[in-house]
Amino acid sequence: DQQVKQNSPSLSVQEGRISILNCDYTNSMFDYFLWYKKYPAEGPTFLISISSIKDKNEDGRFTVFLNKSAKHLSLHIVPSQPGDSAVYFCAASGRNSGYALNFGKGTSLLVTP
Amino acid sequence: KAGVTQTPRYLIKTRGQQVTLSCSPISGHRSVSWYQQTPGQGLQFLFEYFSETQRNKGNFPGRFSGRQFSNSRSEMNVSTLELGDSALYLCASSLDLAGDPEQFFGPGTRLTVL
């Protein structure tokens, strides 16, 4: 049972434009959300997180938005750069499940020059 | 500060064998979690160790086990390997998941079962 869903397997964006990656979750007990970036043959690299008490968190070019009522979060990358091309995973965790990460299947982002 | 390290990076085994994977967390991190990544199932949680105790466990058979040492280093063991165990095994460390849910991953061990 997939509790975290990333419905877009891939996304292509031009350099300099905004990349928006979306994620939906079904478990209302999740209270912490994270985004990871992954290159082939490497482990996921932590990008940014947000707790359920917030609706926005920014870190440089990366902003995560959380809409708890819709059980939806998104990652905005502005401006997008070719080096951002990678697979992005959304993950959610909650105290009731010991903060084990529940991952989406990932979105492959391609930023073209 | 050094990141999470995992050894070996690549491993080839045959069905029925057993395997042990090793993970050294970031210095000062006491929580170590293990995840399995496969093309079909994605990233799935195996178990978490904190202060040498298994604190949380995912939905994997008993063939998958682990342990943590007093220096927080962790090992994962898979016995009686099956073809379906071929995967990337990732270790992640955290200060303490309960207080700081951010987890930092190692490069993974690519296990191939023939």
Side-chain angles (χ1 to χ4, degrees):
Chain A
D1 178 30
Q2 193 78 16
Q3 299 185 73
V4 178
K5 296 179 183 178
Q6 294 176 257
N7 293 318
S8 299
S10 62
L11 176 67
S12 183
V13 172
Q14 276 192 316
E15 181 179 7
R17 306 294 288 268
I18 183 171
S19 294
I20 300 176
L21 295 94
N22 294 302
C23 178
D24 297 294
Y25 62 96
T26 58
N27 189 339
S28 58
M29 300 303 289
F30 288 145
D31 54 20
Y32 206 78
F33 305 89
L34 309 90
W35 283 94
Y36 287 86
K37 174 181 178 181
K38 189 177 185 303
Y39 295 112
E42 293 184 13
T45 301
F46 170 74
L47 276 176
I48 192 169
S49 62
I50 188 168
S51 76
S52 58
I53 62 172
K54 295 184 174 182
D55 56 17
K56 178 182 175 182
N57 189 27
E58 280 183 89
D59 185 0
R61 296 186 297 114
F62 302 91
T63 303
V64 56
F65 295 91
L66 175 63
N67 182 333
K68 281 187 65 180
S69 60
K71 295 191 179 67
H72 177 83
L73 64 154
S74 60
L75 175 68
H76 292 209
I77 306 173
V78 184
S80 301
Q81 300 172 354
D84 296 330
S85 297
V87 178
Y88 288 78
F89 289 93
C90 167
S93 66
R95 189 164 66 98
N96 70 327
S97 57
Y99 289 106
L101 291 174
N102 293 267
F103 283 91
K105 292 287 180 78
T107 296
S108 179
L109 173 65
L110 176 65
V111 180
T112 56
Chain B
K1 191 184 267 191
V4 178
T5 58
Q6 292 185 245
T7 56
R9 290 294 310 276
Y10 302 91
L11 208 46
I12 299 175
K13 293 285 187 178
T14 55
R15 279 183 301 173
Q17 287 187 309
Q18 75 162 14
V19 67
T20 299
L21 313 181
S22 181
C23 171
S24 292
I26 292 171
S27 178
H29 284 194
R30 297 171 63 194
S31 168
V32 174
S33 299
W34 289 88
Y35 293 83
Q36 180 197 64
Q37 185 183 25
T38 59
Q41 299 299 319
L43 278 150
Q44 291 187 293
F45 172 71
L46 280 155
F47 30 66
E48 185 231 349
Y49 285 86
F50 180 81
S51 291
E52 302 178 64
T53 301
Q54 186 180 90
R55 192 162 63 171
N56 196 4
K57 189 177 189 305
N59 295 323
F60 279 81
R63 300 186 297 107
F64 291 82
S65 63
R67 59 178 176 167
Q68 187 181 34
F69 302 94
S70 58
N71 61 358
S72 294
R73 190 176 69 85
S74 177
E75 286 182 348
M76 190 193 101
N77 186 77
V78 188
S79 62
T80 320
L81 283 166
E82 299 177 359
L83 294 178
D85 297 333
S86 294
L88 180 67
Y89 290 89
L90 293 158
C91 166
S93 78
S94 168
L95 283 167
D96 177 359
L97 280 182
D100 190 2
E102 291 168 6
Q103 298 183 39
F104 298 88
F105 285 83
T109 294
R110 170 70 64 184
L111 171 65
T112 302
V113 182
L114 302 177

